[in-house]
PDB file of all heavy atoms in Angstrom:
ATOM      1  N   LYS A 265       0.830  -1.207   0.000  1.00  0.00           N
ATOM      2  CA  LYS A 265       0.000   0.000   0.000  1.00  0.00           C
ATOM      3  C   LYS A 265       0.868   1.262   0.000  1.00  0.00           C
ATOM      4  O   LYS A 265       0.616   2.214  -0.757  1.00  0.00           O
ATOM      5  CB  LYS A 265      -0.921  -0.012   1.220  1.00  0.00           C
ATOM      6  CG  LYS A 265      -1.902   1.144   1.261  1.00  0.00           C
ATOM      7  CD  LYS A 265      -2.811   1.056   2.480  1.00  0.00           C
ATOM      8  CE  LYS A 265      -3.746   2.261   2.561  1.00  0.00           C
ATOM      9  NZ  LYS A 265      -4.570   2.236   3.795  1.00  0.00           N
ATOM     10  N   LEU A 266       1.920   1.267   0.821  1.00  0.00           N
ATOM     11  CA  LEU A 266       2.803   2.437   0.881  1.00  0.00           C
ATOM     12  C   LEU A 266       3.579   2.614  -0.420  1.00  0.00           C
ATOM     13  O   LEU A 266       3.828   3.743  -0.861  1.00  0.00           O
ATOM     14  CB  LEU A 266       3.771   2.313   2.060  1.00  0.00           C
ATOM     15  CG  LEU A 266       3.148   2.423   3.456  1.00  0.00           C
ATOM     16  CD1 LEU A 266       4.207   2.217   4.533  1.00  0.00           C
ATOM     17  CD2 LEU A 266       2.451   3.763   3.646  1.00  0.00           C
ATOM     18  N   ILE A 267       3.969   1.501  -1.056  1.00  0.00           N
ATOM     19  CA  ILE A 267       4.699   1.581  -2.328  1.00  0.00           C
ATOM     20  C   ILE A 267       3.780   2.098  -3.428  1.00  0.00           C
ATOM     21  O   ILE A 267       4.182   2.937  -4.257  1.00  0.00           O
ATOM     22  CB  ILE A 267       5.301   0.215  -2.693  1.00  0.00           C
ATOM     23  CG1 ILE A 267       6.432  -0.143  -1.721  1.00  0.00           C
ATOM     24  CG2 ILE A 267       5.832   0.212  -4.131  1.00  0.00           C
ATOM     25  CD1 ILE A 267       6.901  -1.580  -1.794  1.00  0.00           C
ATOM     26  N   GLN A 268       2.542   1.628  -3.434  1.00  0.00           N
ATOM     27  CA  GLN A 268       1.583   2.099  -4.445  1.00  0.00           C
ATOM     28  C   GLN A 268       1.369   3.606  -4.338  1.00  0.00           C
ATOM     29  O   GLN A 268       1.237   4.295  -5.349  1.00  0.00           O
ATOM     30  CB  GLN A 268       0.261   1.351  -4.292  1.00  0.00           C
ATOM     31  CG  GLN A 268       0.326  -0.097  -4.738  1.00  0.00           C
ATOM     32  CD  GLN A 268      -0.821  -0.941  -4.193  1.00  0.00           C
ATOM     33  OE1 GLN A 268      -1.629  -0.462  -3.404  1.00  0.00           O
ATOM     34  NE2 GLN A 268      -0.891  -2.192  -4.615  1.00  0.00           N
ATOM     35  N   GLN A 269       1.371   4.130  -3.106  1.00  0.00           N
ATOM     36  CA  GLN A 269       1.217   5.572  -2.913  1.00  0.00           C
ATOM     37  C   GLN A 269       2.407   6.357  -3.471  1.00  0.00           C
ATOM     38  O   GLN A 269       2.268   7.515  -3.874  1.00  0.00           O
ATOM     39  CB  GLN A 269       1.048   5.898  -1.427  1.00  0.00           C
ATOM     40  CG  GLN A 269      -0.294   5.499  -0.849  1.00  0.00           C
ATOM     41  CD  GLN A 269      -0.341   5.648   0.662  1.00  0.00           C
ATOM     42  OE1 GLN A 269      -0.818   4.774   1.366  1.00  0.00           O
ATOM     43  NE2 GLN A 269       0.174   6.753   1.178  1.00  0.00           N
ATOM     44  N   LEU A 270       3.579   5.725  -3.511  1.00  0.00           N
ATOM     45  CA  LEU A 270       4.762   6.390  -4.067  1.00  0.00           C
ATOM     46  C   LEU A 270       4.714   6.456  -5.595  1.00  0.00           C
ATOM     47  O   LEU A 270       5.439   7.236  -6.203  1.00  0.00           O
ATOM     48  CB  LEU A 270       6.047   5.661  -3.640  1.00  0.00           C
ATOM     49  CG  LEU A 270       6.499   5.841  -2.200  1.00  0.00           C
ATOM     50  CD1 LEU A 270       7.735   4.983  -1.933  1.00  0.00           C
ATOM     51  CD2 LEU A 270       6.800   7.294  -1.878  1.00  0.00           C
ATOM     52  N   ASN A 271       3.889   5.587  -6.207  1.00  0.00           N
ATOM     53  CA  ASN A 271       3.738   5.605  -7.667  1.00  0.00           C
ATOM     54  C   ASN A 271       5.084   5.380  -8.363  1.00  0.00           C
ATOM     55  O   ASN A 271       5.542   6.187  -9.174  1.00  0.00           O
ATOM     56  CB  ASN A 271       3.106   6.941  -8.100  1.00  0.00           C
ATOM     57  CG  ASN A 271       2.436   6.853  -9.451  1.00  0.00           C
ATOM     58  OD1 ASN A 271       2.426   5.805 -10.082  1.00  0.00           O
ATOM     59  ND2 ASN A 271       1.892   7.967  -9.892  1.00  0.00           N
ATOM     60  N   VAL A 272       5.705   4.246  -8.033  1.00  0.00           N
ATOM     61  CA  VAL A 272       7.037   3.895  -8.556  1.00  0.00           C
ATOM     62  C   VAL A 272       6.872   3.078  -9.841  1.00  0.00           C
ATOM     63  O   VAL A 272       6.318   1.987  -9.800  1.00  0.00           O
ATOM     64  CB  VAL A 272       7.819   3.064  -7.509  1.00  0.00           C
ATOM     65  CG1 VAL A 272       9.157   2.620  -8.064  1.00  0.00           C
ATOM     66  CG2 VAL A 272       8.017   3.858  -6.233  1.00  0.00           C
ATOM     67  N   PRO A 273       7.345   3.574 -10.991  1.00  0.00           N
ATOM     68  CA  PRO A 273       7.082   2.866 -12.256  1.00  0.00           C
ATOM     69  C   PRO A 273       8.028   1.703 -12.559  1.00  0.00           C
ATOM     70  O   PRO A 273       7.674   0.810 -13.317  1.00  0.00           O
ATOM     71  CB  PRO A 273       7.231   3.958 -13.306  1.00  0.00           C
ATOM     72  CG  PRO A 273       8.160   4.936 -12.683  1.00  0.00           C
ATOM     73  CD  PRO A 273       7.959   4.878 -11.205  1.00  0.00           C
ATOM     74  N   ILE A 274       9.243   1.731 -12.009  1.00  0.00           N
ATOM     75  CA  ILE A 274      10.163   0.602 -12.186  1.00  0.00           C
ATOM     76  C   ILE A 274      10.896   0.352 -10.870  1.00  0.00           C
ATOM     77  O   ILE A 274      11.098   1.268 -10.069  1.00  0.00           O
ATOM     78  CB  ILE A 274      11.227   0.829 -13.296  1.00  0.00           C
ATOM     79  CG1 ILE A 274      12.052   2.093 -13.036  1.00  0.00           C
ATOM     80  CG2 ILE A 274      10.627   0.816 -14.675  1.00  0.00           C
ATOM     81  CD1 ILE A 274      13.383   2.087 -13.717  1.00  0.00           C
ATOM     82  N   VAL A 275      11.297  -0.906 -10.680  1.00  0.00           N
ATOM     83  CA  VAL A 275      12.127  -1.271  -9.531  1.00  0.00           C
ATOM     84  C   VAL A 275      13.282  -2.128 -10.032  1.00  0.00           C
ATOM     85  O   VAL A 275      13.078  -3.154 -10.686  1.00  0.00           O
ATOM     86  CB  VAL A 275      11.317  -2.029  -8.456  1.00  0.00           C
ATOM     87  CG1 VAL A 275      12.225  -2.477  -7.320  1.00  0.00           C
ATOM     88  CG2 VAL A 275      10.199  -1.143  -7.896  1.00  0.00           C
ATOM     89  N   ARG A 276      14.491  -1.687  -9.736  1.00  0.00           N
ATOM     90  CA  ARG A 276      15.701  -2.408 -10.112  1.00  0.00           C
ATOM     91  C   ARG A 276      15.868  -3.616  -9.183  1.00  0.00           C
ATOM     92  O   ARG A 276      15.653  -3.525  -7.979  1.00  0.00           O
ATOM     93  CB  ARG A 276      16.892  -1.450 -10.000  1.00  0.00           C
ATOM     94  CG  ARG A 276      18.229  -2.000 -10.443  1.00  0.00           C
ATOM     95  CD  ARG A 276      19.222  -0.839 -10.552  1.00  0.00           C
ATOM     96  NE  ARG A 276      20.589  -1.284 -10.745  1.00  0.00           N
ATOM     97  CZ  ARG A 276      21.567  -1.143  -9.855  1.00  0.00           C
ATOM     98  NH1 ARG A 276      21.318  -0.553  -8.684  1.00  0.00           N
ATOM     99  NH2 ARG A 276      22.782  -1.557 -10.114  1.00  0.00           N
ATOM    100  N   TYR A 277      16.292  -4.763  -9.761  1.00  0.00           N
ATOM    101  CA  TYR A 277      16.365  -6.021  -9.016  1.00  0.00           C
ATOM    102  C   TYR A 277      17.311  -6.958  -9.767  1.00  0.00           C
ATOM    103  O   TYR A 277      17.388  -6.873 -10.987  1.00  0.00           O
ATOM    104  CB  TYR A 277      14.944  -6.628  -8.933  1.00  0.00           C
ATOM    105  CG  TYR A 277      14.883  -7.998  -8.313  1.00  0.00           C
ATOM    106  CD1 TYR A 277      14.805  -8.151  -6.931  1.00  0.00           C
ATOM    107  CD2 TYR A 277      14.895  -9.134  -9.106  1.00  0.00           C
ATOM    108  CE1 TYR A 277      14.761  -9.414  -6.359  1.00  0.00           C
ATOM    109  CE2 TYR A 277      14.848 -10.394  -8.543  1.00  0.00           C
ATOM    110  CZ  TYR A 277      14.776 -10.537  -7.174  1.00  0.00           C
ATOM    111  OH  TYR A 277      14.735 -11.779  -6.610  1.00  0.00           O
ATOM    112  N   PRO A 278      18.055  -7.870  -9.108  1.00  0.00           N
ATOM    113  CA  PRO A 278      18.126  -8.169  -7.666  1.00  0.00           C
ATOM    114  C   PRO A 278      19.339  -7.532  -6.982  1.00  0.00           C
ATOM    115  O   PRO A 278      19.652  -7.858  -5.857  1.00  0.00           O
ATOM    116  CB  PRO A 278      18.272  -9.694  -7.679  1.00  0.00           C
ATOM    117  CG  PRO A 278      19.129  -9.964  -8.887  1.00  0.00           C
ATOM    118  CD  PRO A 278      18.726  -8.925  -9.908  1.00  0.00           C
ATOM    119  N   GLY A 279      20.019  -6.647  -7.651  1.00  0.00           N
ATOM    120  CA  GLY A 279      21.171  -5.942  -7.105  1.00  0.00           C
ATOM    121  C   GLY A 279      21.717  -5.029  -8.175  1.00  0.00           C
ATOM    122  O   GLY A 279      21.294  -5.119  -9.330  1.00  0.00           O
ATOM    123  N   GLY A 280      22.663  -4.150  -7.738  1.00  0.00           N
ATOM    124  CA  GLY A 280      23.423  -4.171  -6.520  1.00  0.00           C
ATOM    125  C   GLY A 280      24.536  -5.217  -6.523  1.00  0.00           C
ATOM    126  O   GLY A 280      24.685  -6.065  -7.381  1.00  0.00           O
ATOM    127  N   ASN A 281      25.390  -5.069  -5.494  1.00  0.00           N
ATOM    128  CA  ASN A 281      26.546  -5.947  -5.339  1.00  0.00           C
ATOM    129  C   ASN A 281      26.147  -7.416  -5.344  1.00  0.00           C
ATOM    130  O   ASN A 281      26.895  -8.282  -5.808  1.00  0.00           O
ATOM    131  CB  ASN A 281      27.288  -5.627  -4.034  1.00  0.00           C
ATOM    132  CG  ASN A 281      27.880  -4.233  -4.030  1.00  0.00           C
ATOM    133  OD1 ASN A 281      27.955  -3.570  -5.065  1.00  0.00           O
ATOM    134  ND2 ASN A 281      28.293  -3.764  -2.868  1.00  0.00           N
ATOM    135  N   PHE A 282      24.947  -7.705  -4.843  1.00  0.00           N
ATOM    136  CA  PHE A 282      24.464  -9.079  -4.765  1.00  0.00           C
ATOM    137  C   PHE A 282      24.457  -9.766  -6.131  1.00  0.00           C
ATOM    138  O   PHE A 282      24.779 -10.952  -6.253  1.00  0.00           O
ATOM    139  CB  PHE A 282      23.046  -9.084  -4.172  1.00  0.00           C
ATOM    140  CG  PHE A 282      22.359 -10.420  -4.202  1.00  0.00           C
ATOM    141  CD1 PHE A 282      22.643 -11.389  -3.240  1.00  0.00           C
ATOM    142  CD2 PHE A 282      21.423 -10.717  -5.185  1.00  0.00           C
ATOM    143  CE1 PHE A 282      22.007 -12.630  -3.270  1.00  0.00           C
ATOM    144  CE2 PHE A 282      20.778 -11.942  -5.219  1.00  0.00           C
ATOM    145  CZ  PHE A 282      21.078 -12.904  -4.260  1.00  0.00           C
ATOM    146  N   VAL A 283      24.105  -9.024  -7.183  1.00  0.00           N
ATOM    147  CA  VAL A 283      23.903  -9.664  -8.489  1.00  0.00           C
ATOM    148  C   VAL A 283      25.193 -10.230  -9.061  1.00  0.00           C
ATOM    149  O   VAL A 283      25.175 -11.164  -9.864  1.00  0.00           O
ATOM    150  CB  VAL A 283      23.246  -8.685  -9.493  1.00  0.00           C
ATOM    151  CG1 VAL A 283      24.264  -7.718 -10.098  1.00  0.00           C
ATOM    152  CG2 VAL A 283      22.542  -9.457 -10.611  1.00  0.00           C
ATOM    153  N   SER A 284      26.338  -9.706  -8.623  1.00  0.00           N
ATOM    154  CA  SER A 284      27.610 -10.115  -9.232  1.00  0.00           C
ATOM    155  C   SER A 284      28.068 -11.519  -8.824  1.00  0.00           C
ATOM    156  O   SER A 284      29.079 -12.003  -9.319  1.00  0.00           O
ATOM    157  CB  SER A 284      28.705  -9.093  -8.904  1.00  0.00           C
ATOM    158  OG  SER A 284      28.436  -7.876  -9.551  1.00  0.00           O
ATOM    159  N   GLY A 285      27.302 -12.163  -7.919  1.00  0.00           N
ATOM    160  CA  GLY A 285      27.583 -13.559  -7.596  1.00  0.00           C
ATOM    161  C   GLY A 285      26.340 -14.423  -7.677  1.00  0.00           C
ATOM    162  O   GLY A 285      26.344 -15.567  -7.234  1.00  0.00           O
ATOM    163  N   TYR A 286      25.276 -13.886  -8.270  1.00  0.00           N
ATOM    164  CA  TYR A 286      23.958 -14.522  -8.207  1.00  0.00           C
ATOM    165  C   TYR A 286      23.724 -15.452  -9.384  1.00  0.00           C
ATOM    166  O   TYR A 286      24.008 -15.116 -10.524  1.00  0.00           O
ATOM    167  CB  TYR A 286      22.890 -13.427  -8.207  1.00  0.00           C
ATOM    168  CG  TYR A 286      21.458 -13.899  -8.053  1.00  0.00           C
ATOM    169  CD1 TYR A 286      21.097 -14.813  -7.067  1.00  0.00           C
ATOM    170  CD2 TYR A 286      20.464 -13.407  -8.900  1.00  0.00           C
ATOM    171  CE1 TYR A 286      19.775 -15.215  -6.918  1.00  0.00           C
ATOM    172  CE2 TYR A 286      19.141 -13.802  -8.754  1.00  0.00           C
ATOM    173  CZ  TYR A 286      18.805 -14.709  -7.763  1.00  0.00           C
ATOM    174  OH  TYR A 286      17.494 -15.096  -7.625  1.00  0.00           O
ATOM    175  N   HIS A 287      23.190 -16.646  -9.071  1.00  0.00           N
ATOM    176  CA  HIS A 287      22.686 -17.564 -10.088  1.00  0.00           C
ATOM    177  C   HIS A 287      21.169 -17.492 -10.047  1.00  0.00           C
ATOM    178  O   HIS A 287      20.538 -18.021  -9.132  1.00  0.00           O
ATOM    179  CB  HIS A 287      23.151 -18.997  -9.807  1.00  0.00           C
ATOM    180  CG  HIS A 287      24.609 -19.219 -10.067  1.00  0.00           C
ATOM    181  ND1 HIS A 287      25.133 -20.454 -10.392  1.00  0.00           N
ATOM    182  CD2 HIS A 287      25.659 -18.366 -10.058  1.00  0.00           C
ATOM    183  CE1 HIS A 287      26.446 -20.352 -10.568  1.00  0.00           C
ATOM    184  NE2 HIS A 287      26.777 -19.089 -10.362  1.00  0.00           N
ATOM    185  N   TRP A 288      20.573 -16.849 -11.036  1.00  0.00           N
ATOM    186  CA  TRP A 288      19.127 -16.639 -11.020  1.00  0.00           C
ATOM    187  C   TRP A 288      18.361 -17.956 -10.987  1.00  0.00           C
ATOM    188  O   TRP A 288      17.250 -18.028 -10.464  1.00  0.00           O
ATOM    189  CB  TRP A 288      18.693 -15.773 -12.212  1.00  0.00           C
ATOM    190  CG  TRP A 288      18.973 -16.400 -13.564  1.00  0.00           C
ATOM    191  CD1 TRP A 288      20.100 -16.238 -14.313  1.00  0.00           C
ATOM    192  CD2 TRP A 288      18.121 -17.270 -14.301  1.00  0.00           C
ATOM    193  NE1 TRP A 288      20.012 -16.967 -15.473  1.00  0.00           N
ATOM    194  CE2 TRP A 288      18.794 -17.612 -15.493  1.00  0.00           C
ATOM    195  CE3 TRP A 288      16.845 -17.806 -14.078  1.00  0.00           C
ATOM    196  CZ2 TRP A 288      18.251 -18.461 -16.461  1.00  0.00           C
ATOM    197  CZ3 TRP A 288      16.297 -18.654 -15.040  1.00  0.00           C
ATOM    198  CH2 TRP A 288      16.997 -18.971 -16.212  1.00  0.00           C
ATOM    199  N   GLU A 289      18.970 -19.024 -11.521  1.00  0.00           N
ATOM    200  CA  GLU A 289      18.302 -20.333 -11.533  1.00  0.00           C
ATOM    201  C   GLU A 289      18.062 -20.865 -10.123  1.00  0.00           C
ATOM    202  O   GLU A 289      17.157 -21.689  -9.913  1.00  0.00           O
ATOM    203  CB  GLU A 289      19.134 -21.360 -12.321  1.00  0.00           C
ATOM    204  CG  GLU A 289      19.483 -20.946 -13.740  1.00  0.00           C
ATOM    205  CD  GLU A 289      20.827 -20.245 -13.851  1.00  0.00           C
ATOM    206  OE1 GLU A 289      21.228 -19.552 -12.883  1.00  0.00           O
ATOM    207  OE2 GLU A 289      21.486 -20.386 -14.900  1.00  0.00           O
TER     208      GLU A 289
END
């Protein structure tokens, strides 16, 4: 509900530093 009130059109995911070692599978 709070995010919808911010009216955010895109969200970057899953990182950040985390993505550089991430296996999406």
